[in-house]
Amino acid sequence: MDDPCRLAGTLPASRRHQGVANIVTTMKGWPKLTGREEFGFLCDLLFERSSGDATTVTLSDQHSGTTRFANSQVIQNVDTRRGTLTVTVAFDGRRGTASTTNFTAGSMQDTLLRAERIAKASPEDPEYLPPPEGRSFAQRETARVETAAAGPARRLEYTNEAVGQCRIENLQAAGIVSSSSAAAGIAASNGLFAHEVRTDARFSLTVQAGDATGWSAAAHRSIDHLKVQERTLTAIGKAKRSVETRELPPGKYTVILEPAAVAGLVTWLLWLLDAKSYDKGTSPVAGQLGRQILDTRLTLQNLPDHPDLFGVGFTSEGLPSDRATWIEHGTLNHLMYDRFTAKMHGLSDIPTLEAPCLSMTGVAEGRTADLLKQIDRAILVTNFWYIRTVNPADLTLTGMTRDGTFLVENGQIVSAVKNFRFHESPLRAFNRIEGFTHPAEAVTSETGKMLVPSMLIREFNFSSVTTF
């Protein structure tokens, strides 16, 4: 991305507002993220020059840093900055899109012309809709100062904390610490305009003890909330307990799924809510809108204002992200609509699901450890990985346990066990829940962040034992 200072020469005197002036006078090192007023100026410039029926501009401007470590030492520290403006122009239902990382007036003019040429050469899109109308969006705390200010030194501090703890235990550590700030925006020639800055911080650690591993991960708007020490000790404990494993035969077991394992199943549950699949009859819940599909104690909500979730003020389509209850007491309330499908159904408000929280009514345990104390015999699962679909018709999935699988007897972990492969459907498993905790933060490599409880589930189907 070129230096936004170049924009100073393109600004009419009447448009040299404070936001741009600040960028011009304080530029040193990394340029600032594209501010709200500067984004507005760029959009106005494109709208004035566009010949299309409708013109939409989206902004993605991110400054991010990642520190990676393996074999208990830093192996990579990357700091990147990339800003992209994307222009979409429509003529009579035909659309063209072009992007640029160069925010100078000349480059944007070229980008606009490319988008116009592509639109004129494209066939008519039968599902074309003009951009959403302009409206106000909720102002949310999507950016945290401490994360935006974090640099290599802060990431190294967290890395050293994790690696140091592992060295004390004579264990190997591998993982990442990352932090980023990003400006996101969308505007259209019909008056739509939204802009906000979002921060993101992540920590992931895999601890290796011989062939055994322990794992923990976190993600949050605030880098102060990653709880590196707590999560490092958790991963170390799982690795040390997994050194000596015993093999149990495959079969149906009572399981305690920690939040990360529950999140792995919930992710596939979210994907089955797609409205087009529902209309085609290929969704495993086709025909069940308004009917009970899960345990009546389960409720799935979008909570964009929750401080521990990655809620946003608006989506990439320019729609508001509001609180919504998708599944209420086991009953399916909403489907995931694109704008065209929603219009076909006569829906004016489209619910979104950027900040999912799965909760249960009834008496909940505080922590997974409290749930474990109630068990005569069960398998405790830290995480699932490589989850794939086996039968889309009933959402039967397969995958493997990972990073800490233990046998629990009489309320205590008695040994580690070899990992299992499972064949199970969340639609069936989430109807056999025997106990649960309050929702907790969950992050896995196969999903985003959500709040979900640990669950005690009976008759969970482990179809085979892996070789490790």
Side-chain angles (χ1 to χ4, degrees):
M1 173 183 172
D2 281 6
D3 190 334
C5 283
R6 294 186 184 183
L7 289 169
T10 70
L11 283 170
S14 60
R15 305 302 299 274
R16 287 178 188 170
H17 41 68
Q18 190 63 38
V20 175
N22 283 343
I23 291 174
V24 173
T25 57
T26 62
M27 189 65 60
K28 288 182 179 179
W30 288 104
K32 285 186 176 180
L33 295 176
T34 306
R36 183 182 183 87
E37 294 192 7
E38 186 186 6
F39 177 56
F41 168 74
L42 297 172
C43 293
D44 288 345
L45 198 67
L46 290 163
F47 296 154
E48 289 170 3
R49 299 181 181 186
S50 176
S51 60
D53 301 332
T55 304
T56 305
V57 183
T58 59
L59 166 72
S60 173
D61 188 3
Q62 183 177 57
H63 180 191
S64 62
T66 301
T67 301
R68 300 180 187 277
F69 52 99
N71 298 321
S72 296
Q73 59 184 340
V74 174
I75 59 169
Q76 186 183 53
N77 185 58
V78 180
D79 220 38
T80 61
R81 171 68 191 279
R82 183 179 181 84
T84 304
L85 269 181
T86 300
V87 183
T88 299
V89 179
F91 295 98
D92 298 324
R94 292 169 292 142
R95 287 187 293 187
T97 298
S99 298
T100 181
T101 59
N102 184 339
F103 288 11
T104 60
S107 175
M108 286 189 296
Q109 177 69 21
D110 290 343
T111 305
L112 175 64
L113 293 176
R114 277 192 292 131
E116 290 180 343
R117 286 197 298 271
I118 293 170
K120 291 174 181 176
S122 299
E124 184 175 345
D125 181 354
E127 296 190 0
Y128 170 77
L129 290 175
E133 295 294 327
R135 58 184 301 170
S136 61
F137 295 94
Q139 298 294 312
R140 297 204 161 90
E141 192 179 9
T142 53
R144 300 292 290 267
V145 174
E146 61 272 21
T147 305
R154 184 66 181 277
R155 298 196 298 272
L156 183 61
E157 174 191 338
Y158 281 163
T159 299
N160 286 339
E161 187 170 355
V163 169
Q165 288 286 346
C166 291
R167 281 179 174 159
I168 291 173
E169 302 286 348
N170 198 27
L171 301 172
Q172 293 288 324
I176 65 161
V177 180
S178 68
S179 59
S180 69
S181 295
I186 182 168
S189 51
N190 64 351
L192 171 69
F193 186 88
H195 175 280
E196 68 186 7
V197 176
R198 303 163 181 170
T199 58
D200 182 302
R202 293 176 187 268
F203 169 70
S204 177
L205 171 67
T206 298
V207 178
Q208 190 153 6
D211 292 332
T213 60
W215 167 86
S216 189
H220 206 275
R221 292 283 188 206
S222 170
I223 196 168
D224 292 343
H225 197 78
L226 293 181
K227 302 177 183 176
V228 170
Q229 184 179 36
E230 175 184 328
R231 297 184 191 282
T232 298
L233 295 177
T234 297
I236 288 174
K238 288 181 179 294
K240 291 172 68 176
R241 280 186 157 173
S242 299
V243 172
E244 294 186 8
T245 60
R246 57 186 286 192
E247 183 171 330
L248 295 178
K252 293 187 176 181
Y253 288 86
T254 295
V255 295
I256 302 169
L257 304 183
E258 293 196 357
V262 173
L265 300 180
V266 171
T267 298
W268 289 83
L269 194 64
L270 303 186
W271 291 346
L272 68 78
L273 302 179
D274 173 62
K276 283 194 172 180
S277 299
Y278 186 93
D279 287 348
K280 292 176 183 175
T282 57
S283 168
V285 294
Q288 298 188 62
L289 189 61
R291 298 180 182 176
Q292 182 191 335
I293 61 170
L294 299 176
D295 188 307
T296 56
R297 295 168 293 176
L298 277 170
T299 293
L300 174 66
Q301 296 176 288
N302 186 51
L303 301 178
D305 288 313
H306 197 291
D308 291 331
L309 291 173
F310 287 99
V312 295
F314 59 91
T315 70
S316 58
E317 287 188 297
L319 301 174
S321 175
D322 294 323
R323 184 174 182 136
T325 302
W326 286 73
I327 297 173
E328 186 170 17
H329 300 303
T331 298
L332 180 60
N333 280 350
H334 295 299
L335 298 174
M336 205 166 288
Y337 293 95
D338 59 79
R339 293 181 59 230
F340 177 80
T341 307
K343 184 181 180 183
M344 293 299 100
H345 285 268
L347 298 176
S348 55
D349 296 324
I350 304 175
T352 61
L353 195 47
E354 288 73 41
C357 174
L358 184 70
S359 60
M360 297 192 70
T361 55
V363 180
E365 300 295 337
R367 302 176 305 159
T368 306
D370 301 321
L371 199 60
L372 187 145
K373 291 175 183 175
Q374 308 173 7
I375 303 305
D376 292 333
R377 194 169 194 267
I379 302 296
L380 174 64
V381 178
T382 300
N383 194 14
F384 291 128
W385 74 316
Y386 265 86
I387 303 174
R388 298 292 182 270
T389 310
V390 175
N391 183 3
D394 63 358
L395 200 63
T396 295
L397 308 173
T398 188
M400 288 170 281
T401 63
R402 185 174 171 85
D403 298 322
T405 306
F406 304 101
L407 175 63
V408 178
E409 289 183 339
N410 300 319
Q412 301 210 355
I413 294 175
V414 295
S415 71
V417 296
K418 282 193 174 181
N419 286 303
F420 288 103
R421 173 172 288 281
F422 73 88
H423 281 74
E424 187 59 270
S425 167
L427 291 173
R428 296 191 295 268
F430 289 167
N431 274 302
R432 299 195 302 266
I433 301 170
E434 298 287 318
F436 54 93
T437 66
H438 295 294
E441 298 175 60
V443 180
T444 78
S445 59
E446 301 198 44
T447 184
K449 184 177 182 181
M450 59 183 73
L451 299 179
V452 296
S454 293
M455 291 184 181
L456 175 64
I457 298 175
R458 60 181 163 80
E459 298 182 348
F460 195 89
N461 184 35
F462 289 124
S463 50
S464 63
V465 180
T466 68
T467 57
F468 54 91

